[in-house]
Structures are given as C-alpha cells and as structure tokens.
Amino acid sequence: MTNTLRFSPADPATAAAFFAAELSFEADPDDVVRDLKEGTTAGFQLVEARSAEAFAKARIPGAVNLPHWEMDAETTKDWDRDLVYVVYCESFECNAATKGALKLSTLGFRVKRLAGGIRAWLDAGYPAEGSEVERPGNLHGVTCDC
C-alpha cells in the first residue's frame, strides 16, 4: 500500500462537509483582494491581531489593529456584531490571528482567519500600507510580534 493511501479517504459526503466547514473558518486572500478592488467589503472588517508597531510597518488597506492580547469586552464594545471579522497576523507560522479569532468568537463575534496572513498577502503583490512594506518574500521588520 502507498503512504498516500495508507489511511482511507473519507466518503464524498463526509469530505464535502469537512471542506465546507473549513471554508467557514478561513478567508482566501484572493477573495479579500477582489472584494477590496471591487469595493464590496460590506459585511466584513479586516482585523490585524499583532502589535501596533507591526501594524505600522505593514498592513492591509482598511484593516483595523487590535492586538489579540488586548481583545476583550471593553475594547470591542463598539464593534458591529453584524459584521464578520477577518483576523490576520504575520503568516502561517504565527498564531496571533488564531488567538484573536478565538477571543473574538468567545466574545460573540462571527470570525474568519485570513489564510497566510500579511506575508502571503505581500508575496502575492496585493496592495499594502506601512513604513516597511517589502515585496515579495523578504519582510524586513515585519515579524510575528505576537
């Protein structure tokens, strides 16, 4: 038996349910950038979950910054509960977005995590703001900072 097939694949219905659930937790940068370019961002807000310093260095246009360790009922009291908050951080290697999404969801917000974070965003050449925006691959000064 091959290593690839050592574990049997799920039946199609189970696989469909799994992948549909997975998509309910993550947003694709390609989809987000299309929405930004088309001006169709009604319904969601981007949230950078790293420090203010990291946010100043590189951020997605329109994002707000709230470090995950500052997320609580007080700091989010004025946030719109009808929006979906798409949380991001530095990359797949950073878990600040996961920590932020967890905190926001426990506070009753609907959330998604942006796949790949700001690194994937910049590597794709998408628009960014900040004092140290570099492209692609080398993010001088842009670190997890979580």
Side-chain angles (χ1 to χ4, degrees):
M1 176 172 292
T2 68
N3 288 314
T4 302
L5 300 177
R6 179 176 28 176
F7 299 100
S8 299
D11 67 83
T14 302
F18 172 84
F19 292 117
E22 187 172 311
L23 290 171
S24 72
F25 295 108
E26 282 198 337
D28 183 311
D30 294 337
D31 293 335
V32 173
V33 79
R34 269 190 227 107
D35 287 340
L36 290 175
K37 287 179 179 178
E38 295 170 6
T40 56
T41 58
F44 73 91
Q45 172 64 57
L46 290 161
V47 179
E48 163 69 75
R50 297 178 302 151
S51 70
E53 293 80 18
F55 183 73
K57 291 176 183 178
R59 65 189 166 278
I60 298 171
V64 297
N65 178 229
L66 185 58
H68 67 85
W69 57 88
E70 294 178 7
M71 293 178 180
D72 60 29
E74 181 62 27
T75 59
T76 61
K77 69 181 179 193
D78 295 325
W79 285 22
D80 185 344
R81 293 197 175 266
D82 292 328
L83 293 178
V84 173
Y85 291 91
V86 179
V87 185
Y88 71 93
C89 58
E90 191 261 334
S91 69
F92 285 114
E93 292 86 16
C94 176
N95 68 2
T98 302
K99 291 174 183 174
L102 173 61
K103 285 192 178 180
L104 291 177
S105 62
T106 60
L107 290 166
F109 293 99
R110 295 181 312 146
V111 298
K112 287 191 171 204
R113 182 179 54 207
L114 182 67
I118 190 73
R119 181 176 294 176
W121 186 270
L122 294 173
D123 285 352
Y126 295 151
E129 303 169 335
S131 63
E132 296 186 28
V133 174
E134 299 271 341
R135 305 203 186 263
N138 191 3
L139 302 177
H140 297 295
V142 179
T143 61
C144 182
D145 198 15
C146 58

